[in-house]
């Protein structure tokens, strides 16, 4: 169903970004949660990782999984994705198998592990990589967008991180501490319920500031990556394509068009 032909392996190796966006555009909206510009920025950061065959971690699967998978398929390495929505894993597996694995002649099961559970579970969350004898080189965090959960995910990640690692965030400008009222209000709107106000104590600094301070408090070398999302997003076709839906997501606070510069942020740490 998803085995649309792009080009042979050699041409894919020559134009991997075009192939990545070609595959991303096969996805429906519910599994395509980041714009093309962010997917490209993610891809370019992966290319800059110092380790050959790195271990890549993500929380919240979707288009980002395609970027991580393609990097591992072309360069070696492994991908671990945590998402509580098991159907998303099954769906993405079918897209990756058809669209990527066939032409690249790789076995999805040797590269990608999807864990359909809470990313911070003490037994099968991110820190379980330790029991598998692995260290993580890259983490992309895009699951439940509240600071408390995000910092827990980063804490788990740090327990298994390599001495040099990179972390990246989606929706890094969000400022919700313990409850995602934007998401809750989106659901309430669909249920025909009135909007609930966010209590003051749910407010925190933007995630990119909180995470920056967290990392600088723990590691001697923390470099903010000059990611390319910030140059690319103004001309991003995928953002224009979903414009009508974005009016609603802006209204309930799931997106803030004025803060898009910090939708994506990343750090190199050692
Ligand atoms: C915004 S979507 C991810 C988008 C994806 N990165 C992409 O590129 O399309 C967020 C995902 O996080 C998952 N999620 C929410 N809370 C979670 C948790 N505690 N552990 C793991 N996954 C979670 C949801 O099921 C949802 O699929």
């Amino acid at each position: 169903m998803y085995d649309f032909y792009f080009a042979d392996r050699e041409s894919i190796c020559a134009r991997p970004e075009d192939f990545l966006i070609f595959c991303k555009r096969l996805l429906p909206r519910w599994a395509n949660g980041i714009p093309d510009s962010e997917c490209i920025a993610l891809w370019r950061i992966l290319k800059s990782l110092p380790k050959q065959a790195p271990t890549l971690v993500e929380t919240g699967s979707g288009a980002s999984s395609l970027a991580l998978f393609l990097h591992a398929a072309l360069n070696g390495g492994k991908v671990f994705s945590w998402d509580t929505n098991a159907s998303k894993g099954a769906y993405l597996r079918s897209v990756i198998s058809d669209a990527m694995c066939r032409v690249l002649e790789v076995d999805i099961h040797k590269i990608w592990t999807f864990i359909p559970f809470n990313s911070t579970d003490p037994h099968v969350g991110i820190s379980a990589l330790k029991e598998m004898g692995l260290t993580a080189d890259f983490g992309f965090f895009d699951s439940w967008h509240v600071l408390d959960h995000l910092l827990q995910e980063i804490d788990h990640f740090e327990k298994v991180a390599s001495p040099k690692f990179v972390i990246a965030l989606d929706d890094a400008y969000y400022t919700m501490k313990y409850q995602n009222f934007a998401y809750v209000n989106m659901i309430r709107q669909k249920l025909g319920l009135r909007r609930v106000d966010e209590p003051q104590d749910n407010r925190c600094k933007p995630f990119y500031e909180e995470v920056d301070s967290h990392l600088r408090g723990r590691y001697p070398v923390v470099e903010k990556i000059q990611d390319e999302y910030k140059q690319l997003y103004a001309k991003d076709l995928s953002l224009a394509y979903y414009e009508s839906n974005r009016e609603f997501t802006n209204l309930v606070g799931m997106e803030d068009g004025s803060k898009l510069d910090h939708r994506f942020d990343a750090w190199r740490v050692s």
Side-chain angles (χ1 to χ4, degrees):
M1 191 174 174
Y2 291 98
D3 58 345
F4 288 84
Y5 191 75
F6 174 80
D8 58 20
R9 187 187 163 99
E10 201 183 334
S11 310
I12 290 170
C13 291
R15 296 163 53 209
E17 288 184 3
D18 290 343
F19 179 60
L20 176 59
I21 296 303
F22 171 84
C23 295
K24 181 179 184 287
R25 289 183 180 160
L26 299 175
L27 298 176
R29 178 73 185 86
W30 63 271
N32 200 351
I34 56 170
D36 293 356
S37 45
E38 184 170 338
C39 198
I40 293 292
L42 201 51
W43 169 261
R44 291 184 186 173
I45 288 175
L46 292 172
K47 268 196 342 185
S48 75
L49 291 177
K51 199 196 265 181
Q52 293 293 312
T55 298
L56 313 176
V57 165
E58 74 170 347
T59 66
S61 62
S64 51
S65 314
L66 302 189
L68 272 57
F69 183 86
L70 183 61
H71 184 272
L74 296 181
N75 300 284
K78 295 204 179 295
V79 180
F80 292 83
S81 303
W82 275 263
D83 197 310
T84 42
N85 183 346
S87 307
K88 225 171 171 181
Y91 172 75
L92 289 166
R93 195 174 288 127
S94 75
V95 177
I96 291 172
S97 296
D98 278 3
M100 292 183 163
C101 292
R102 209 168 73 106
V103 63
L104 296 176
E105 296 180 0
V106 293
D107 179 348
I108 189 168
H109 302 288
K110 291 190 175 147
I111 296 174
W112 190 40
T113 306
F114 182 90
I115 303 98
F117 212 69
N118 182 12
S119 53
T120 57
D121 183 83
H123 307 295
V124 292
I126 302 166
S127 55
L129 286 180
K130 193 171 204 157
E131 290 176 63
M132 299 175 209
L134 293 170
T135 57
D137 303 290
F138 174 84
F140 178 56
F141 301 102
D142 184 16
S143 64
W144 185 232
H145 295 297
V146 298
L147 182 68
D148 290 352
H149 182 71
L150 173 62
L151 290 179
Q152 275 180 43
E153 285 184 336
I154 292 176
D155 197 52
H156 267 246
F157 181 86
E158 289 175 77
K159 289 192 174 105
V160 295
S162 300
K164 289 183 180 184
F165 62 88
V166 169
I167 67 169
L169 310 182
D170 179 61
D171 287 336
Y173 64 82
Y174 271 29
T175 54
M176 293 175 287
K177 188 170 174 356
Y178 58 83
Q179 175 60 287
N180 187 338
F181 280 91
Y183 198 82
V184 161
N185 276 324
M186 181 271 289
I187 305 261
R188 286 180 66 87
Q189 174 91 26
K190 291 184 190 174
L191 294 172
L193 300 174
R194 68 163 186 82
R195 196 188 155 92
V196 285
D197 291 331
E198 181 175 7
Q200 266 307 318
D201 70 351
N202 193 49
R203 287 277 148 184
C204 57
K205 290 186 196 151
F207 294 170
Y208 65 88
E209 286 185 27
E210 299 270 8
V211 168
D212 194 85
S213 314
H214 169 87
L215 294 172
R216 288 182 199 283
R218 288 194 174 183
Y219 299 92
V221 182
V222 177
E223 180 203 341
K224 181 81 181 48
I225 296 178
Q226 300 301 312
D227 66 83
E228 299 193 35
Y229 162 77
K230 291 167 186 55
Q231 278 86 55
L232 296 174
Y233 81 84
K235 291 190 181 153
D236 189 327
L237 280 179
S238 67
L239 286 169
Y241 185 74
Y242 289 127
E243 188 61 32
S244 53
N245 176 236
R246 292 175 63 217
E247 282 169 26
F248 174 68
T249 51
N250 272 268
L251 191 73
V252 290
M254 286 178 67
E255 182 182 290
D256 183 338
S258 68
K259 296 182 181 157
L260 286 185
D261 247 13
H262 283 290
R263 177 179 178 141
F264 179 76
D265 275 307
W267 295 261
R268 203 166 274 122
V269 183
S270 52

